[in-house]
Every structure is written in structure tokens, then in C-alpha cells.
Amino acid sequence: MRHLVWILFCSTIFFACSSENDSQTKTFDIVPGDIPNEGILYVNHEEQGRSGHGGNSITECTNGHIISFYSNVSRDSWDGHGVGGWSEYRKSMDGGKTWSEPYILEYSKKAWEGDEVHSALVTSINTAPNGTLIAVLARFGNDRWQRIKPPVYLLSYDNGETWTEPRDFDSDATIPDIAYTKDAAFVFDEEVFIVFHGSSDYPYSLYVSADNGESFQKRSNLPFTLGRYYSTCSVLDNGEIIVYIYESENQEYDLPYVISRDKGHTWSEIKTSHFSKRIRNPQMSDKIGDYYFLHGRSGMEGQGHGHLVLYWSEDGINWSEGVFLNTSGRRRDSYSANEVIGKYDESSPKRLLIQSSILYDTLGAVNIRHWWIENIRDSNSR
């Protein structure tokens, strides 16, 4: 049985876990420390009487700049939990120390002001191998997340200064085929991978671009037959791709996953990983040093639900007991995203930036806040 021991020393958070297979001490810093806490305020929607659900997504550009998307939606619509608004982003040119004024994504704002859809919000942003940015937008028919058209994507060739017109992933796909991705995307071996959720007999599918986002092709259906909204994915040490999904409120301790050993052409049988504090809308990181990280909401109902919880793992399958980064949440809170920062600079230490919606009222309106994971142990560098 795994035990969690907290040791605080010199402002570093040391995590010590022991089991038959793991007796090594795990060390990294969480900033701000003394968790759970309120994090670092990134977007103050409360000041403007707005909210920010459903649009968190971050990428690091190849020049080291960080682009972080969020939604700017109505506080009055569905208690601030709806999608009545548009996507914005801010840029950091100094590793996340300071951030620019907001950039409003023109296509998203025009969708909100037009009559073809209710809104179009960024739900994923990635940097292709050649530096092109790929922003995926889900398109909604009402405030309550009803997807009415397949997602589209925009490209930026200048690190987020300008964006192309929207492009289809698949001209033949319909909403039952691809309706949504919640930042379930990654880059591996010069290709861009995106996992979509739909509503057909195979509600999860994998699309891949081999030309830096200029086009996408469907590679496979995943073997899940149940699932609700959320999936996340990463690449394991041996080059295997792992995809987790959220199945239901009844299975928040044990998350289903599948593995592909051939870049997403075929998939393993479905297995589950255990999460001691539960998990909903999970977001898994790339590996940094010795660890993968995974975070999200600690369940939908019951004791301890709604908080922002963080887990870590050396193999991406067996996860720690977890810790709460924030405990002010409720059932409409803790939609999150992450990005590895420093990966394009060999002289820079790699850090993980976590972004999450955190309630500022008792209903559903949220601000956006940040946490950092730093000084992550890397046994290969010793």
C-alpha cells in the first residue's frame, strides 16, 4: 500500500512514497507552496463580471514564448458555466513571469457575434514540429455545450500574432464522428495527434497530421464504447501512446485507458488506473524528468469533490495518492490544462505550467489561476 509522506525543507516540497516496486524519494516544487491554495491569479473575470469555463489550453512556441488560451463568457448565462462568449489568449515572453494584455481570437469573436453557431471556443492549442500553432475550436449551438458542427482549426505561422481562416479536419465527418476534444493532443515523432470524442458506436477517434497541421487524416477508432466528454493522452518512455477517458460519475476512482504500440493504428484491450482522490476531466502532461503529471477535478459528487487534484507517476499508469492544489471547488470547477515549459532550450530547466478555472462565487463563475511544478527530479541528469 502506498503511503504519502510530506517533508518540507528549504521551501522545497519533498514527496516520499514507498511500495514493493518503488522506494525512491520523489522531489519537486509546487509554486505557490503551502498547498492547497488559490494559485497565481492569471485572469480576473470577477473584475469584469464575466466567467471563463471551458477554454483552457496552453502551448510553448519554438521561440520560447508561451501562449495561454482561456474563454471569456457570460457570468449570467447558466450561472457562468456556459459557453456564451469567445476565446482570448495572453502571451509571455519571459517564461511566464509576466503576461501581455489579452488578444481576442477574431474568428471566435465573429462566431459569437454571428448567426451560424452560438459560439466557437478554443479547446486545444499545440505547436507543430516546424513551429506552426494549431488551435482547435469546438462549435456550440447553445450556452449548455451542445455541439452542432464538427470542430475546425486555425493555424498561426507567426507565434500567435495572426491566424488563418478555419479549416475542416475531415470534410466527411459529422458530429457523431468528431464533436469535441478537451486538449487531448500531443506531438510525437514529427506528427501531431488529436483524440476526438463523438457520439457514434466508436465515440473516440484519432486524427493525425504529418505535415505540421496543413491537413489531418483519421488514423483509427479507439475501442471505448462508453465515455463522457473528456479524454487525455501522452507518450510513454518506450514510444507507446496512452489514452485515458472519463467514463462516468460512477467510475471516478478507476480511469479506463488503452495503449497503442504502432502510433495509433491499433489499440490494446481496455484497462484501468486507480486515482485515490478521484478524477474528472483529467489532463495528463508529457514526461518531465522522472514524472508524468495528471490533474483535474476530484470527482463530480460526494465528499471531497470539485477540487483541483494533482497526481504523479513514473510510468504513466501507476499514480501517486495525489494532493489537492486547491480546495475551494464545487461541481462546476477545476477545468484545467498544462504545458511543459523550457523544452526548446537545452540550457533551461523544464517546468510544468498548470492552468485551471477556480470559482469566485457560489454558483459557477470562475477566474483563471496558475500553478507551477519546478525542480523536478531527473535521475538521468545525475
Side-chain angles (χ1 to χ4, degrees):
M1 180 176 179
R2 191 180 294 262
H3 302 282
L4 181 65
V5 180
W6 287 72
I7 306 170
L8 301 178
F9 179 71
C10 294
S11 74
T12 300
I13 300 175
F14 294 86
F15 296 98
C17 303
S18 62
S19 70
E20 293 180 359
N21 299 319
D22 183 5
S23 60
Q24 293 181 318
T25 298
K26 298 172 169 28
T27 63
F28 49 83
D29 295 352
I30 297 176
V31 180
D34 194 24
I35 56 174
N37 57 49
E38 291 300 305
I40 302 165
L41 183 63
Y42 173 58
V43 178
N44 189 350
H45 283 305
E46 182 177 13
E47 188 174 63
Q48 303 299 324
R50 301 286 288 176
S51 187
H53 272 290
N56 294 305
S57 190
I58 317 167
T59 198
E60 183 184 39
C61 305
T62 53
N63 66 356
H65 295 175
I66 307 169
I67 291 182
S68 180
F69 273 90
Y70 58 93
S71 63
N72 186 336
V73 298
S74 170
R75 179 181 180 176
D76 300 323
S77 175
W78 204 15
D79 299 326
H81 187 64
V83 293
W86 57 89
S87 286
E88 299 179 354
Y89 60 98
R90 300 169 70 188
K91 300 178 72 172
S92 177
M93 301 180 185
D94 55 11
K97 295 178 183 178
T98 61
W99 295 87
S100 70
E101 292 299 311
Y103 291 73
I104 296 176
L105 188 63
E106 184 178 3
Y107 170 76
S108 180
K109 188 67 178 296
K110 285 183 176 179
W112 168 245
E113 294 172 344
D115 55 11
E116 291 188 7
V117 296
H118 180 77
S119 64
L121 301 181
V122 172
T123 58
S124 179
I125 177 72
N126 280 271
T127 301
N130 72 344
T132 299
L133 304 187
I134 305 169
V136 182
L137 293 94
R139 297 188 287 179
F140 304 97
N142 60 24
D143 277 359
R144 301 199 174 199
W145 304 83
Q146 177 198 24
R147 271 78 75 179
I148 63 167
K149 291 186 176 182
V152 293
Y153 68 99
L154 316 179
L155 301 178
S156 175
Y157 303 112
D158 53 12
N159 300 311
E161 292 298 316
T162 61
W163 298 87
T164 66
E165 291 298 309
R167 304 184 181 195
D168 293 329
F169 284 96
D170 183 344
S171 59
D172 295 326
T174 63
I175 280 291
D177 301 316
I178 57 171
Y180 188 64
T181 183
K182 187 65 176 68
D183 214 17
F186 59 90
V187 176
F188 174 54
D189 199 18
E190 300 301 309
E191 293 184 312
V192 181
F193 296 74
I194 302 178
V195 175
F196 286 103
H197 177 271
S199 56
S200 64
D201 290 340
Y202 291 95
Y204 291 89
S205 57
L206 176 68
Y207 278 73
V208 179
S209 175
D211 56 8
N212 296 290
E214 297 299 325
S215 64
F216 281 84
Q217 289 77 41
K218 181 178 178 179
R219 180 158 292 180
S220 63
N221 289 320
L222 282 71
F224 303 112
T225 56
L226 294 173
R228 296 189 62 187
Y229 321 124
Y230 311 117
S231 58
T232 191
C233 46
S234 191
V235 181
L236 304 181
D237 286 335
N238 56 7
E240 295 177 348
I241 296 171
I242 187 167
V243 178
Y244 285 95
I245 69 161
Y246 176 81
E247 189 169 281
S248 72
E249 285 84 355
N250 299 321
Q251 197 169 346
E252 294 182 332
Y253 286 104
D254 298 286
L255 223 58
Y257 72 87
V258 291
I259 285 176
S260 175
R261 297 176 175 86
D262 56 8
K263 297 184 180 179
H265 291 279
T266 62
W267 297 92
S268 70
E269 64 180 359
I270 300 171
K271 297 183 178 180
T272 60
S273 286
H274 186 69
F275 295 87
S276 299
K277 293 179 173 59
R278 296 184 291 175
I279 190 72
R280 181 181 167 95
N281 48 29
Q283 292 290 297
M284 183 176 176
S285 75
D286 294 336
K287 196 171 192 181
I288 316 175
D290 288 349
Y291 308 113
Y292 301 91
F293 296 92
L294 188 147
H295 50 83
R297 190 194 311 172
S298 60
M300 188 67 171
E301 302 285 355
Q303 185 176 5
H305 79 280
H307 305 317
L308 180 61
V309 62
L310 171 72
Y311 300 94
W312 58 97
S313 169
E314 290 191 8
D315 61 9
I317 294 173
N318 298 289
W319 296 90
S320 69
E321 295 289 324
V323 294
F324 290 124
L325 297 181
N326 178 274
T327 54
S328 62
R330 293 178 177 83
R331 63 195 303 269
R332 290 182 175 177
D333 203 7
S334 301
Y335 292 89
S336 57
N338 67 65
E339 173 72 344
V340 178
I341 305 301
K343 57 182 174 289
Y344 299 110
D345 183 355
E346 292 183 359
S347 66
S348 174
K350 294 179 177 60
R351 304 174 294 149
L352 188 71
L353 174 58
I354 296 174
Q355 178 170 309
S356 183
S357 59
I358 300 295
L359 285 171
Y360 69 76
D361 68 11
T362 58
L363 296 174
V366 298
N367 289 321
I368 311 299
R369 296 182 176 272
H370 283 171
W371 285 261
W372 290 89
I373 301 179
E374 302 178 339
N375 299 322
I376 302 164
R377 189 192 70 182
D378 186 351
S379 57
N380 293 325
S381 65
R382 295 184 176 183

